[in-house]
């Protein structure tokens, strides 16, 4: 049987093995979920298309509408559901923040799953 278990993300050893929903590294006792490893791979090999809350592909310059109230990090302001944002820019931000928006509250990174194409 081929060795399909990924190397340990913590120490890099390859003596890892699957156990239930997790992978386990006997060298450093690190455990991590198999599902997370799989989704990371999907992202790496994905088609690179950014999709909105309805699954429609988004492009640079699109106008979008918020489908959810979003707290603005580091402030007490909230971007209200229904706010329209014009001229988005797709980026490869951290933690899935893949849309650069200019809003009334300034420029910020949002997740496409909270937006829908206007
Ligand atoms: Zn390890």
């Amino acid at each position: 049987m081929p060795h399909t278990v990924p190397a340990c993300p913590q120490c890099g050893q390859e003596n890892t093995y699957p156990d239930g929903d997790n992978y386990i590294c006997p060298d450093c006792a690190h455990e991590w979920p198999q599902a997370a490893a799989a989704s990371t791979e999907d992202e790496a090999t994905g088609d690179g298309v950014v999709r909105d809350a309805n699954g429609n592909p988004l492009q640079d310059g699109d106008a979008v509408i918020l489908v959810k109230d979003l707290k603005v990090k580091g402030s007490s302001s909230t971007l209200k559901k229904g706010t329209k944002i014009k001229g988005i820019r797709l980026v490869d931000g951290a933690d899935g923040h893949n849309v650069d928006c200019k809003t009334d509250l300034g420029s910020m990174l949002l997740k496409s799953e909270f937006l829908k194409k206007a």
Side-chain angles (χ1 to χ4, degrees), residues 62-117:
D62 276 351
V64 295
I65 293 173
L66 285 184
V67 296
K68 178 180 190 298
D69 284 357
L70 294 176
K71 275 223 166 70
V72 179
K73 237 185 193 171
S75 90
S76 58
S77 307
T78 302
L79 280 173
K80 291 286 182 198
K81 179 180 171 182
T83 301
K84 188 169 180 179
I85 301 168
K86 288 181 187 167
I88 62 166
R89 201 165 60 85
L90 304 183
V91 296
D92 191 13
D95 301 328
H97 291 82
N98 48 7
V99 180
D100 189 3
C101 301
K102 283 203 178 60
T103 73
D104 293 344
L105 302 172
S107 191
M108 59 191 72
L109 294 178
L110 301 176
K111 297 184 182 185
S112 60
E113 65 195 81
F114 301 138
L115 307 170
K116 70 173 180 187
K117 203 165 173 168

Side-chain angles (χ1 to χ4, degrees), residues 8 10-13 25 27-30:
C8 173
Q10 189 143 295
C11 69
Q13 295 297 317
C25 171
D27 292 297
C28 70
H30 182 54

